């Protein structure tokens, strides 16, 4: 593989280090390797509320009379064990406030501000899971491909333990710097490409990964329930410059942050709230119809690199301006 010279932006301007922000070493590790693991990041009552909420979301998805009622919210796939539910999107309008509390928590937003700067935008939220006995693989892939002028990343909150030998996530450190031919990677190395790391995480641990990091998990004969909440973040400036969304989408998504901050304060009245430093021209005004505010459809997304139809072609990503 030939690496490009594209580099994400350096640490955000004007942000003083606080307890819930990433350390300089953690940011440097993320930039070098494309991921960083934060142990015991989500704890106590919030973790328990998220676990209970995930149980409810999965039960509600299984209770659907047919997949036509899913409306893009509930994703199914054909597995060796049959047709299974594996992903739930748009978590905030699913009747459980824990997802909004997580979004507004200092533990989550400190990560977002550390890597995307004060004008971070939460662009996605979903629950991805494997039910007990569902040992299907998740092939090598890159979530989204972009010119790498800014960091774009997922914050992965683990609700259950993930262990080696049970299909835990494998990551290819440094692979985020270019588009990777994941089909060739799979054919040449299988799951044991040089330098690949197999992660192990406990409930409450967080794995932050660059959306261009090559990652996946092999098949297992049997596994226990494993649930992970994913929040993607981007800088508002990056979205305005490169899409695929617009200023209206940014405003809608930032209103979710305002609601999340309110929910966190309501649930944790004695805890320190996150100090939101969003630019005044982006500061949102939340409407009266909160239920409407909670669902912001994505419509489109940056294409990723997958070994399947719809993947981006294997071509290098153009290098953006260096800022380091």
């Amino acid at each position: 593989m030939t690496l490009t010279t594209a580099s994400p932006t350096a640490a955000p301007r004007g942000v003083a280090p606080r307890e819930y922000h990433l350390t300089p070493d953690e940011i440097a590790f993320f930039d070098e390797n494309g991921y960083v693991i934060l142990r015991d990041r989500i704890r106590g009552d919030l973790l328990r509320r998220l676990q209970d909420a995930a149980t409810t979301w999965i039960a509600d998805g299984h209770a659907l009379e047919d997949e036509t009622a899913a409306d893009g919210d509930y994703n199914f796939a054909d597995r060796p064990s049959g047709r299974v539910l594996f992903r739930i999107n748009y978590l905030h309008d699913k009747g459980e406030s824990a997802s909004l509390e997580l979004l507004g928590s200092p533990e989550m937003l400190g990560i977002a501000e550390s890597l995307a700067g004060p004008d971070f935008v939460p662009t996605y939220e979903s629950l991805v899971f494997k039910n007990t006995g569902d040992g299907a693989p998740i092939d090598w892939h890159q979530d989204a491909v972009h010119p790498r002028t800014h960091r774009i990343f997922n914050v992965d909150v683990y609700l259950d333990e993930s262990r080696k030998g049970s299909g835990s996530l494998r990551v290819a450190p440094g692979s985020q710097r270019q588009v990777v031919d994941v089909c060739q990677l799979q054919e040449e190395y299988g799951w044991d490409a040089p330098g690949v790391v197999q992660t192990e995480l406990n409930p409450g641990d967080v794995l932050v990964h660059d959306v261009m990091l090559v990652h996946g998990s092999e098949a297992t004969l049997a596994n226990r329930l494993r649930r992970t909440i994913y929040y993607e973040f981007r800088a508002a400036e990056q979205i305005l410059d490169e899409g695929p969304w617009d200023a209206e989408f940014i405003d809608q998504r930032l209103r979710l942050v305002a609601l999340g901050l309110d929910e966190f304060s309501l649930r944790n009245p004695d805890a320190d709230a996150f100090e939101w430093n969003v630019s005044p021209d982006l500061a949102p005004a939340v409407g009266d119809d909160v239920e409407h505010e909670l669902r912001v459809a994505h419509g489109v997304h940056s294409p990723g690199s997958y070994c399947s139809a719809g993947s981006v072609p294997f071509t290098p990503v153009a290098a953006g301006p260096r800022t380091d």
Side-chain angles (χ1 to χ4, degrees):
M1 292 185 280
T2 302
L3 300 181
T4 70
T5 58
S7 172
T9 56
R13 66 189 187 280
V15 177
R18 289 189 285 267
E19 181 180 357
Y20 44 79
H21 283 93
L22 301 188
T23 67
D25 285 347
E26 288 168 338
I27 293 173
F29 187 94
F30 176 86
D31 284 339
E32 176 68 21
N33 297 281
Y35 77 100
V36 65
I37 294 175
L38 309 174
R39 299 294 182 189
D40 199 28
R41 181 80 176 187
I42 307 300
R43 304 175 298 277
D45 290 340
L46 176 54
L47 176 59
R48 287 188 288 273
R49 283 195 283 268
L50 289 167
Q51 291 167 329
D52 291 344
T55 298
T56 299
W57 294 327
I58 293 171
D60 289 346
H62 285 147
L64 293 174
E65 293 184 2
D66 60 74
E67 292 181 29
T68 61
D71 192 30
D73 288 30
Y74 301 90
N75 297 156
F76 294 81
D78 291 318
R79 304 286 201 226
S81 58
R83 192 74 170 161
V84 300
L85 177 68
F86 73 96
R87 180 186 180 109
I88 300 172
N89 302 305
Y90 307 116
L91 299 181
H92 302 318
D93 75 338
K94 298 294 183 291
E96 299 291 328
S97 63
S99 66
L100 206 58
E101 179 186 356
L102 174 65
L103 177 61
S105 68
E107 290 80 6
M108 176 63 67
L109 296 184
I111 298 170
E113 189 172 60
S114 295
L115 295 178
D119 293 335
F120 59 79
V121 180
T123 51
Y124 259 79
E125 66 280 334
S126 62
L127 173 74
V128 179
F129 61 96
K130 287 186 177 183
N131 270 315
T132 303
D134 177 16
I138 305 298
D139 292 335
W140 288 123
H141 67 280
Q142 295 172 295
D143 296 330
V145 170
H146 62 99
R148 302 197 61 75
T149 57
H150 297 74
R151 300 184 185 100
I152 303 177
F153 53 94
N154 274 306
V155 180
D156 317 345
V157 179
Y158 278 70
L159 305 184
D160 306 288
E161 70 174 22
S162 179
R163 290 287 179 267
K164 295 177 182 178
S166 299
S168 66
L169 189 72
R170 291 177 184 250
V171 299
S175 59
Q176 75 280 1
R177 299 186 182 96
Q178 65 173 26
V179 183
V180 174
D181 186 339
V182 291
C183 296
Q184 180 183 353
L185 180 69
Q186 188 72 42
E187 290 171 2
E188 186 172 355
Y189 295 108
W191 291 107
D192 295 315
V196 163
V197 173
Q198 188 168 17
T199 63
E200 289 195 306
L201 294 108
N202 295 316
D205 288 348
V206 166
L207 187 151
V208 186
H209 76 269
D210 189 300
V211 295
M212 285 183 63
L213 178 74
V214 174
H215 59 289
S217 58
E218 73 269 32
T220 58
L221 295 177
N223 67 284
R224 291 178 290 180
L225 175 65
R226 187 168 75 231
R227 302 163 295 178
T228 308
I229 291 175
Y230 293 89
Y231 286 177
E232 184 191 88
F233 289 93
R234 306 185 181 205
E237 179 184 16
Q238 183 273 329
I239 296 173
L240 292 172
D241 288 346
E242 302 170 8
W245 304 293
D246 56 17
E248 181 181 2
F249 179 85
I250 291 172
D251 184 66
Q252 290 175 318
R253 281 274 151 184
L254 290 180
R255 294 203 293 268
L256 289 174
V257 176
L259 292 170
L261 290 168
D262 288 344
E263 184 63 31
F264 180 84
S265 294
L266 177 66
R267 290 284 186 174
N268 306 272
D270 298 325
D272 291 334
F274 178 79
E275 299 175 21
W276 196 15
N277 300 305
V278 65
S279 297
D281 59 329
L282 293 176
V286 178
D288 295 330
D289 187 352
V290 173
E291 292 302 316
H292 174 73
E293 300 277 7
L294 292 179
R295 182 185 175 89
V296 184
H298 310 124
V300 293
H301 196 285
S302 305
S305 179
Y306 299 83
C307 192
S308 62
S311 299
V312 299
F314 177 51
T315 53
V317 176
R322 294 188 66 89
T323 55
D324 56 351

